[in-house]
Amino acid sequence: MAVNVGFRIFDRINRPPRELVERFKGIPSSNINDEMHRLYCMSAAISPLNEVDSMVGTAFTVKAPIGDNLMFHRALDMAESGDIIVVDGAGALDRSLAGEIMITFAEKKGIAGIVVDGALRDLDGIHRSKMPVYAKGITPQGPFKNGPGEIGVPVCCGGIVVFPGDILVGDQDGIVVIRPKDAEEVLKAAQKSWHLKRQNFPNMQQRGRIMKVMQREYGQVWRRKGLQ
């Protein structure tokens, strides 16, 4: 009997309410990650390839064999507007998994972003795209289209496990991953810290004040550790 493990599509994704997802827009990824004890940020190896203001959406996941994009193509057909296609390409950089044509198709469809733990190509075309695009690297070498692969499964991207329907927030710094069940709590905390930062930072910009704030914050850490 044939085994389908490794060549499967799961098309049911429990997406969180769109209104909840959109409320993360504009909050820096760093503030959000701080509120999750700095444990849910993708590796700096996954970096923006074009000008990113704010990327917010729900994960549509793809697990691809090294150098093969068959399931990536299928994901482009299946993903919905507002989804972010997250591709686990095992971090391989020998072959690109997409280029300008696939990126343009995704943008026209209303996909909220592309995140690839692997390589892409056609960097000039990616620069022209207004849809946020992240990847580990660039190579002109093209992919195979033979499969296998999986869609709608947990994947690893930038060292973080991403489940279908997870909320992703990205900017020029990078990408954070938020579980939908934690979203309300994380959002509330991140909004509060971001508001306080914007409110207080102008008053801290004078050298004397910002030095006092830093000394107070890190002085507490030093004292807890018994340092002078």
Side-chain angles (χ1 to χ4, degrees), residues 46-191:
I46 310 298
S47 59
L49 299 182
N50 55 355
E51 193 67 31
V52 175
D53 179 18
S54 179
M55 179 184 74
V56 177
T58 49
F60 190 98
T61 60
V62 182
K63 188 170 181 63
I66 291 175
D68 191 290
N69 73 354
L70 179 67
M71 283 298 189
F72 195 165
H73 276 280
R74 185 70 180 116
L76 286 173
D77 291 331
M78 295 176 61
E80 299 179 0
S81 176
D83 283 343
I84 296 172
I85 297 179
V86 181
V87 182
D88 178 354
L93 299 176
D94 293 340
R95 293 182 179 274
S96 64
L97 295 180
E100 183 176 10
I101 293 174
M102 291 174 68
I103 297 299
T104 301
F105 180 88
E107 183 177 3
K108 296 292 186 183
K109 191 175 180 181
I111 301 303
I114 299 287
V115 182
V116 177
D117 196 337
L120 296 175
R121 66 177 180 179
D122 301 333
L123 188 57
D124 287 346
I126 293 174
H127 283 163
R128 289 190 290 272
S129 176
K130 292 180 172 55
M131 177 188 66
V133 179
Y134 293 77
K136 188 176 180 181
I138 292 288
T139 178
Q141 182 69 284
F144 297 109
K145 294 178 174 62
N146 302 320
E150 295 190 321
I151 289 175
V153 296
V155 298
C156 182
C157 191
I160 299 296
V161 176
V162 181
F163 292 89
D166 278 354
I167 299 171
L168 270 62
V169 179
D171 50 28
Q172 286 292 320
D173 283 356
I175 301 170
V176 293
V177 180
I178 306 142
R179 309 288 183 236
K181 66 182 179 61
D182 301 325
E184 287 282 5
E185 180 183 9
V186 172
L187 176 64
K188 184 178 180 180
Q191 284 177 327

